[in-house]
Every structure is written in C-alpha cells, then in structure tokens.
Amino acid sequence: MKKRCKFCHKWFTPHPQAPHQRCCSSPACRKKRKAAADKNWWLNNPKYGQSRRPKIKAWAKEYPDYWRKYRKEHPDYVEKDRRRRRSAHQKAKNAAKQDAVRQISVEKLESIRDLTPICAAKQDAVHRRVNGILDYLFWKESAAKQDNMVNCLASGP
Ligand SMILES: [Zn+2]
C-alpha cells in the first residue's frame, strides 16, 4: 500500500518490515526524519542535557582547540549557531522588557489605588467606577503574569 511521505509529500511504498513508516527512503527525507526524532527526544528528556552540560564544559576545557577547529571547518554550523544565539538573546531581552513594563504598570496602578480612599469619602460613585477599572487592569496584568500579581491582589482594599 502506497503512502505519502511526511516530508516531501511524494508517494512511496513502506518497507514490509516497517508498515508504519511515514517517510520515504530518500536521503534528504531520512535526514529530516532523524532530525525530527532527535528534536523530539531532546524535548522529552530535558534533564539529560542539563546533567551532561558540566561534563561537556569540563571536556571542552581539556580540548580548547576542538571547537575552534570545528567552527573553522564548518562555516554553515557557525552561521546557524550565530542565528540561534541571536534569537535566544532577543527572546530573553523581549521577555525582560515585558516584565519591566508589567512591573511599571503594577506600580502605577498601586499608586492610583492608594489615592482612591480620598475620593471614596467624597464621591462614592466615582470611587466605585475607578475601582472597577483598577480591578480590570489588575486582572489583565495578573493574567499576563500570574505569580507576580497574586500578592498585589491579595493585599488590595
Ligand atoms: Zn520523502
């Protein structure tokens, strides 16, 4: 029975020994299948990489020329690694920026909330409306960053 390859979408006949085969036997597709399986394995075994890291670091210290030589001989790896590092850095930077923005909103909201008791004595309706808006804004911030906001809401009026 013929099947379509998961990667190149061409028709192929699975090996009789592997009826569940989802990818054709062309070298390019086999390489993609292996890369996908490896990625999946690393996602399912996150602790393996963590426990290996100190060993790899120690090893790299023993053989400082290895990576230098490898990078010299594999320029496409260098380019790929550079892109990966840049995007990881950018992601971390954006996350930090988002956190800072949230922190500022929370601080501003808290300062507004601290002012409201003065209004409350004079203008009850306005106070209630302001509180409603504040509740919404607090909720919005907390939905964006749960753990940070739970404390702020708990200590509210
Ligand atoms: Zn294929």
Side-chain angles (χ1 to χ4, degrees), residues 9 26 39 41 70 80 85 112 114 117-118 127 131 137 139-140 148:
H9 307 295
S26 85
K39 191 179 175 187
W41 189 90
Y70 184 89
K80 206 173 148 189
R85 279 169 196 267
I112 294 167
D114 292 345
I118 303 158
H127 176 233
N131 257 359
L137 292 171
W139 170 81
K140 197 167 143 255
N148 191 26

Side-chain angles (χ1 to χ4, degrees), residues 75-87:
D76 44 334
Y77 165 81
V78 174
E79 179 55 28
K80 206 173 148 189
D81 188 51
R82 209 169 54 84
R83 271 202 301 263
R84 184 190 61 77
R85 279 169 196 267
R86 190 190 284 166
S87 109

Side-chain angles (χ1 to χ4, degrees), residues 5 7-9 24 26 29:
C5 170
F7 298 105
C8 66
H9 307 295
C24 76
S26 85
C29 290

Side-chain angles (χ1 to χ4, degrees), residues 4-12 22-30 32:
R4 274 206 191 265
C5 170
K6 193 182 163 189
F7 298 105
C8 66
H9 307 295
K10 285 182 191 151
W11 289 100
F12 74 98
R22 287 161 69 197
C23 152
C24 76
S25 57
S26 85
C29 290
R30 284 163 74 174
K32 279 183 196 164

